[in-house]
Amino acid sequence: MYYESALWLSLLIPFVLGFACNILPSARTALGAMCCCVFGTAIAGCIAIVAVFQHGTIFIASNWLFLDGLSAYHYGILLVVFCLSSVYAWAYFGEELRKGHFTRKQARLFAGLWCEACAAMTLVLFSNNLGIMWVGIEATTLITAFLICIHVSRQSMEAMWKYIVICSVGMAFAFMGTLLIAVSAKALELGPHDSLLWTVLYDNAGRLDPKLIKAAFIFLLVGYGTKAGLAPMHNWLPDAHMQAPSPVSAIFSGFLLSTAMYCIMRYMPVIEGATGSIGWCQRLMTGFGLFSIAVAAVFIVSQKNLKRFLAYSSIEHIGIISLGLGLGGLGVFAALFHTLNHSLCKTLSFFAAGRMGQILGTYDIRDMKGALRRSPVWGTGLFLSILALIGAAPFSLFMSEFLILKAAIDKQAFVIAFVFLLGLGIVFICALGYILPLSWGGPPLKKAAPAHLFQYESFLVYIPLTALLILGLWMPAPLQAVLQKAAEIIGGAAAYAPAIGLMP
Amino acid sequence: MGSVLETTMMLLILSDMALLGLSRLRTCIAVASFQGMLLGVFTLLAHEQALTPRIFLIAAVSFILKGFVFPQLLRRSIREASAQNEMDPYVGYSMSVMAGMAMFGAALWLGEQLPLTLAAGMHLVIPAALTTVLTGLFLIIARKNALSQCLGFIILENGIYAIGIVSVVEISVLVEIGILLDAAVAVVVMGVAIFHINRQFDHLDTDQLDSLKG
């Protein structure tokens, strides 16, 4: 079938071309090849995604890899984030090449690792075999570690070491969880071929050993939660985001964290089914979510570095997604919607932060003044994206956060709603305190050299912003259907229709 | 045959205690290498009733990787970084061994809690493996030297491997080999990172990696 080959292609193109990037003659050709590779993948990927929503789940590699509603939705987000980030990387490193801060060797390494990172995340999303899923996540850790320290310095080495050690231990925990899942399925008497297949476990969730599966989920939640940046396992995240070059920070926040959340989402219905749908794992998710929001709110108060501030904001948003999943029903729908919104918005924020950092020569919030005057395009991008991030209407993040709040109030979980709002409120006030002087403050600039911008850079700002604005005001029926299909897989099969009716 | 298995497990626990109490990195690596070979043999012992080519393959791969490849990579890092000893760990060596005893106790209790059904003569396996997991974690947390932390990660993987070998026979060989290779790559990546850190800082003390805070 043509869509099976599309699925194979979207996995193999970045994997194969990633190696090819290492032998190209110049920095520009390497970066160019990387962009072509990502866009080529996107074409194949789009065919596969459309096929999933028209014909249903696609299975390949004798059921070890598949694409269903949930993974197709996430894969769509991955493609958007990677396409935007690749174009941005071209501009960002183009500027560094112009200044002579980026060598051919670094460019080749970057381009190669970038494509391989794309392939590894794709593998995670495609895997039906939970062992392969783990291998994919571990591969993303090892590949992206070197992306953090493309520019070798003391700080970037420190960030990379923390990232490798903390995430490797996390991955070891996740592996332990995966093992326990396999053990809990002993009653099913599966053969070696399908003992870890998600589809099999999902269909037979009721026959798994509940005690073992609870132990397994705790290991999995701690393990994948480390990678997702859920507090209190988040320590690597601010350092890595701060030290990585901005295109890398953008894929970290924009999709790497969501990849790990996706793994947790996959396990949720299996665990719920095995424990008799008493909301055991939902309570855990809610707890971790609220704690992450609280930790982010506390740490965001005293940030001095713009990228570090954005990193803590990512912890907050991952917390919000986790909270939504924990609330169930409408919350799951909202959490999935929030994943898309956050990926789009955070990608844009890191783009803007990176370019403003290059233009102003610093990431220190206290020294970054008058961004809008220095670069109207990126200044607007930075200001509006942070405004959207903190949940200002009418951007779509407001809508998804509102739906999560509604889910909490519908469940009469007023304490949860209160903590959620309090966290959001603190972040809102602090972020405004940072962003207003950053955009307008400072003395009128003396004639500074105008920032060198590529023509297409304004598209990088306005495409995501327009999308966020449109999604905030109106949800297209196809997207709603996709979200609903994905939410049903995680077990949020409640009726959303009245809630969606509330959307303006 | 159960007694051979028990001896293997006792050796595993003893090697954990040795790792906690030794200060010379080279000796620690030798112990880790011994532990790796032990696990390779253990793979065969645990499945001696049903030895298949698959079991042989897994045993051979883990014997070679854990017993020779990982230790060799670590030794190379030592040479490059000319690091000999863990200078002053957060937790002293005798205290570490005491902690090891406590971890063994905790592992015995945890082993009781997990409802794993094992063949006869294997009752020591889960506590021993859990002790190894905890020892690995302890080394990562309580040692300052980047090499010791890398060693801790290998020990942690060893423990999980032991649990996997006795509790799951059904996982397909492809996944198992993939996982072993992933561990190998992790060690290589850590080795390269150690090399970079050493070149940037002239030492491997991770407690001096402290410029990123807040």
Side-chain angles (χ1 to χ4, degrees):
Chain A
M1 290 293 214
Y2 75 95
Y3 38 81
E4 285 170 3
S5 10
L7 208 57
W8 274 116
L9 276 180
S10 39
L11 191 59
L12 290 176
I13 291 175
F15 179 72
V16 173
L17 286 187
F19 290 104
C21 286
N22 279 310
I23 48 167
L24 289 169
S26 74
R28 290 223 174 258
T29 47
L31 291 176
M34 176 189 97
C35 289
C36 295
C37 160
V38 170
F39 280 97
T41 313
I43 294 171
C46 286
I47 296 173
I49 293 172
V50 171
V52 166
F53 289 110
Q54 279 178 349
H55 308 288
T57 311
I58 308 172
F59 287 95
I60 53 170
S62 51
N63 292 355
W64 274 28
L65 302 178
F66 78 146
L67 196 67
D68 68 350
L70 183 61
S71 47
Y73 173 67
H74 279 87
Y75 189 51
I77 302 177
L78 177 143
L79 290 177
V80 172
V81 169
F82 260 91
C83 287
L84 287 174
S85 303
S86 303
V87 176
Y88 174 73
W90 175 267
Y92 181 88
F93 288 117
E95 179 72 13
E96 292 206 342
L97 277 170
R98 221 167 50 87
K99 290 181 181 159
H101 293 164
F102 198 58
T103 62
R104 187 179 71 167
K105 198 176 151 206
Q106 282 171 319
R108 281 172 170 179
L109 180 67
F110 174 81
L113 290 175
W114 183 268
C115 297
E116 295 304 335
C118 177
M121 287 185 217
T122 309
L123 181 65
V124 175
L125 296 184
F126 284 4
S127 37
N128 187 19
N129 186 317
L130 298 172
I132 300 283
M133 181 191 265
W134 181 87
V135 170
I137 284 271
E138 172 79 7
T140 60
T141 311
L142 302 173
I143 293 164
T144 49
F146 289 107
L147 283 175
I148 296 176
C149 61
I150 281 287
H151 295 295
V152 178
S153 72
R154 280 173 160 248
Q155 283 86 6
S156 69
M157 287 317 303
E158 182 180 335
M160 174 203 181
W161 183 251
K162 273 190 192 168
Y163 175 61
I164 296 185
V165 170
I166 297 177
C167 285
S168 298
V169 172
M171 283 307 99
F173 273 80
F175 179 53
M176 183 88 178
T178 313
L179 268 183
L180 288 176
I181 291 272
V183 180
S184 72
K186 260 193 174 155
L188 299 180
E189 292 178 350
L190 300 167
H193 178 78
D194 45 3
S195 62
L196 271 177
L197 285 192
W198 180 84
T199 34
V200 174
L201 295 175
Y202 184 72
D203 292 338
N204 300 295
R207 292 168 60 200
L208 305 175
D209 184 325
K211 203 170 175 187
L212 271 174
I213 211 142
K214 279 185 178 177
F217 188 65
I218 290 172
F219 277 107
L220 288 165
L221 189 56
V222 171
Y224 288 128
T226 308
K227 197 72 199 281
L230 281 175
M233 294 87 73
H234 67 283
N235 296 45
W236 63 271
L237 194 145
D239 298 343
H241 281 66
M242 180 168 122
Q243 290 304 323
S246 294
V248 179
S249 312
I251 56 160
F252 263 63
S253 254
F255 204 71
L256 188 62
L257 307 183
S258 313
T259 317
M261 271 320 271
Y262 162 83
C263 295
I264 299 177
M265 285 178 201
R266 272 278 168 221
Y267 281 105
M268 280 182 68
V270 178
I271 314 292
E272 278 297 309
T275 50
S277 307
I278 48 166
W280 178 80
C281 75
Q282 294 184 340
R283 280 197 293 278
L284 275 178
M285 297 299 287
T286 311
F288 271 101
L290 280 183
F291 189 62
S292 305
I293 296 173
V295 165
V298 169
F299 277 90
I300 246 169
V301 174
S302 59
Q303 289 309 313
K304 297 180 189 72
N305 185 297
L306 180 59
K307 284 172 84 178
R308 219 175 161 79
F309 156 71
L310 290 176
Y312 274 108
S313 155
S314 293
I315 298 175
E316 182 212 354
H317 284 281
I318 288 294
I320 294 174
I321 293 170
S322 169
L323 174 64
L325 291 172
L327 287 169
L330 175 64
V332 175
F333 178 88
L336 286 170
F337 187 34
H338 197 75
T339 307
L340 168 67
N341 297 336
H342 173 245
S343 291
L344 268 179
C345 190
K346 192 49 75 55
T347 312
L348 173 60
S349 318
F350 270 113
F351 289 175
R355 286 298 268 145
M356 283 319 298
Q358 279 183 332
I359 293 166
L360 298 170
T362 175
Y363 289 103
D364 193 317
I365 298 178
R366 292 161 301 181
D367 299 336
M368 296 176 90
K369 298 274 192 253
L372 273 171
R373 281 193 297 267
R374 284 301 292 277
S375 167
V377 172
W378 285 113
T380 314
L382 188 60
F383 178 69
L384 287 181
S385 66
I386 291 184
L387 212 57
L389 267 185
I390 57 180
F395 291 106
S396 53
L397 283 102
F398 169 78
M399 238 22 253
S400 45
E401 284 169 6
F402 177 76
L403 286 178
I404 289 176
L405 185 67
K406 185 173 182 312
I409 290 175
D410 283 351
K411 278 186 93 179
Q412 309 215 317
F414 296 114
V415 179
I416 294 173
F418 173 74
V419 177
F420 175 55
L421 280 181
L422 186 69
L424 289 190
I426 294 174
V427 173
F428 190 91
I429 294 166
C430 290
L432 275 188
Y434 294 137
I435 190 67
L436 289 178
L438 201 158
S439 303
W440 281 284
L445 290 173
K446 40 194 179 321
K447 251 319 192 200
H452 174 270
L453 286 188
F454 292 94
Q455 289 284 317
Y456 57 83
E457 282 187 56
S458 47
F459 286 106
L460 284 177
V461 175
Y462 294 117
I463 292 175
L465 271 182
T466 319
L468 286 171
L469 195 63
I470 292 177
L471 287 178
L473 296 171
W474 167 68
M475 178 176 279
L479 177 65
Q480 188 179 331
V482 167
L483 278 169
Q484 207 138 340
K485 200 166 176 182
E488 273 163 24
I489 294 174
I490 312 180
Y496 311 112
I500 304 303
L502 275 180
M503 294 179 82
Chain B
M1 208 55 201
S3 62
V4 180
L5 251 180
E6 272 173 20
T7 320
T8 323
M9 287 301 103
M10 291 311 291
L11 284 173
L12 187 63
I13 296 170
L14 284 176
S15 61
D16 289 338
M17 298 303 148
L19 282 164
L20 290 169
L22 289 167
S23 71
R24 256 178 67 84
L25 276 173
R26 270 182 192 283
T27 327
C28 285
I29 292 171
V31 175
S33 161
F34 167 72
Q35 205 178 70
M37 293 188 244
L38 199 67
L39 284 173
V41 176
F42 165 70
T43 313
L44 295 180
L45 287 178
H47 295 288
E48 78 179 322
Q49 272 88 31
L51 280 177
T52 54
R54 239 186 81 223
I55 302 282
F56 266 113
L57 184 63
I58 296 166
V61 172
S62 62
F63 188 83
I64 294 167
L65 272 182
K66 292 174 189 291
F68 296 96
V69 179
F70 293 171
Q72 198 48 43
L73 285 168
L74 283 180
R75 283 194 198 101
R76 210 190 60 190
S77 301
I78 288 196
R79 261 205 312 282
E80 278 167 2
S82 57
Q84 287 306 317
N85 286 347
E86 171 77 41
M87 293 313 280
D88 51 340
Y90 293 115
V91 183
Y93 294 105
S94 36
M95 274 311 285
S96 299
V97 178
M98 300 285 263
M101 301 291 180
M103 289 188 286
F104 180 51
L108 279 174
W109 178 79
L110 263 176
E112 295 272 302
Q113 300 301 308
L114 280 180
L116 297 168
T117 41
L118 299 173
M122 296 229 198
H123 57 278
L124 248 183
V125 174
I126 296 297
L130 283 174
T131 312
T132 313
V133 169
L134 291 172
T135 306
L137 266 182
F138 186 86
L139 287 176
I140 294 172
I141 296 165
R143 297 285 188 264
K144 286 177 185 172
N145 191 300
L147 270 167
S148 303
Q149 292 178 349
C150 189
L151 195 72
F153 178 72
I154 295 175
I155 304 300
L156 174 63
E157 284 273 330
N158 280 352
I160 294 178
Y161 173 82
I163 296 177
I165 282 301
V166 287
S167 52
V168 195
V169 202
E170 298 88 355
I171 298 188
S172 167
V173 68
L174 253 174
V175 178
E176 278 167 338
I177 298 294
I179 285 162
L180 274 176
L181 285 180
D182 249 17
V185 179
V187 174
V188 174
V189 169
M190 283 187 175
V192 175
I194 287 171
F195 175 66
H196 275 299
I197 290 177
N198 189 53
R199 223 173 37 179
Q200 283 286 316
F201 293 82
D202 297 321
H203 60 74
L204 290 174
D205 271 3
T206 49
D207 70 325
Q208 291 181 36
L209 296 178
D210 61 353
S211 59
L212 302 174
K213 279 179 187 156

